[in-house]
């Protein structure tokens, strides 16, 4: 529930939501941002995978810790 409200609020405040009227242009912009952010973080994932005995468990625990921290804030 918390993430849904935050996502709607973020979309309404984001200027890219209003600028391109063409839905395909908007989809292209968001796709580019997603691919770019993923490419910038791929090294972090590779480091985690190399250091962990079980990468799935390590990533799951990291995610859960991050969620708990965000909820506490």
């Amino acid at each position: 529930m918390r993430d849904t409200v935050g996502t709607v609020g973020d979309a309404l405040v984001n200027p890219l939501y209003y600028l391109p009227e063409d839905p395909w242009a908007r989809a292209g912009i968001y796709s580019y941002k997603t691919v770019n952010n993923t490419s910038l973080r791929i090294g972090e994932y590779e480091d985690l995978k190399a250091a962990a005995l079980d990468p799935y468990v390590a990533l799951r625990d990291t995610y859960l810790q991050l969620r708990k921290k965000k909820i506490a804030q």
Side-chain angles (χ1 to χ4, degrees), residues 9-62:
D10 289 344
L12 294 175
V13 177
N14 188 355
L16 292 177
Y17 182 76
Y18 298 104
L19 289 179
E21 292 183 16
D22 181 25
W24 290 106
R26 189 178 302 138
I29 292 170
Y30 283 110
S31 298
Y32 171 77
K33 285 175 58 177
T34 301
V35 169
N36 189 40
N37 288 339
T38 302
S39 69
L40 295 174
R41 293 190 174 129
I42 196 73
E44 295 171 5
Y45 172 71
E46 293 298 326
D47 292 342
L48 176 76
K49 199 165 78 170
L53 296 174
D54 186 356
Y56 172 77
V57 173
L59 190 60
R60 181 191 65 198
D61 291 343
T62 303

Side-chain angles (χ1 to χ4, degrees), residues 2-3 41 44 57-73:
R2 177 178 181 263
D3 287 341
R41 293 190 174 129
E44 295 171 5
V57 173
L59 190 60
R60 181 191 65 198
D61 291 343
T62 303
Y63 172 78
L64 291 174
Q65 289 175 4
L66 179 65
R67 292 299 302 153
K68 286 180 183 178
K69 180 181 175 184
K70 285 185 176 183
I71 290 171
Q73 290 177 349

